[in-house]
Amino acid sequence: QVLLVESGGGLVQAGGSLRLSCAASGLTFSIYTMGWFCQAPGKEREFVAAISWSGDSTYYADSVKGRFTISRDNAKNTVTLQMNSLRPEDTAVYYCAADLGRAGSSPYEYDYWGQGTQVTVSS
């Protein structure tokens, strides 16, 4: 059984930082592309960042470039999203996702999803 469990969300003031983590189990983590997506109420799920199986390649949405950093630790089966300079518009539920294929920005490409963790950025 594949499980992805996010943690680290919370309430933060604009300009602050959060570090989200995703712990994976039930899959051969090191061969999966991992991604982060976000979804605000009433909005479509949007791509945030992705990282290749080796960690050598990363991809970011334009809105988070220079502010967010995705990383992974294959020994620990975890992927993280360091979020700096947070803005109110970053407020959303953040989801961890796993893709057996290549890194991509479409949520439809991903095979497994976590339950999400809420990030709220106050102004």
Side-chain angles (χ1 to χ4, degrees), residues 26-106:
L27 77 170
T28 305
F29 182 78
S30 61
I31 66 172
Y32 280 78
T33 294
M34 301 299 297
W36 286 97
F37 291 78
C38 67
Q39 188 166 22
K43 303 295 184 181
E44 298 291 324
R45 190 164 297 190
E46 296 182 347
F47 172 74
V48 176
I51 187 167
S52 65
W53 65 269
S54 66
D56 290 340
S57 298
T58 57
Y59 307 90
Y60 297 94
D62 288 342
S63 61
V64 307
K65 286 181 179 177
R67 299 191 298 123
F68 293 7
T69 302
I70 188 171
S71 61
R72 68 190 296 160
D73 186 338
N74 287 348
K76 297 180 179 179
N77 284 14
T78 59
V79 60
T80 64
L81 185 70
Q82 178 66 48
M83 303 187 295
N84 298 326
S85 301
L86 283 162
R87 305 164 179 169
E89 53 263 41
D90 295 321
T91 295
V93 176
Y94 283 74
Y95 296 91
C96 175
D99 176 19
L100 190 58
R102 295 166 295 176
S105 61
S106 172

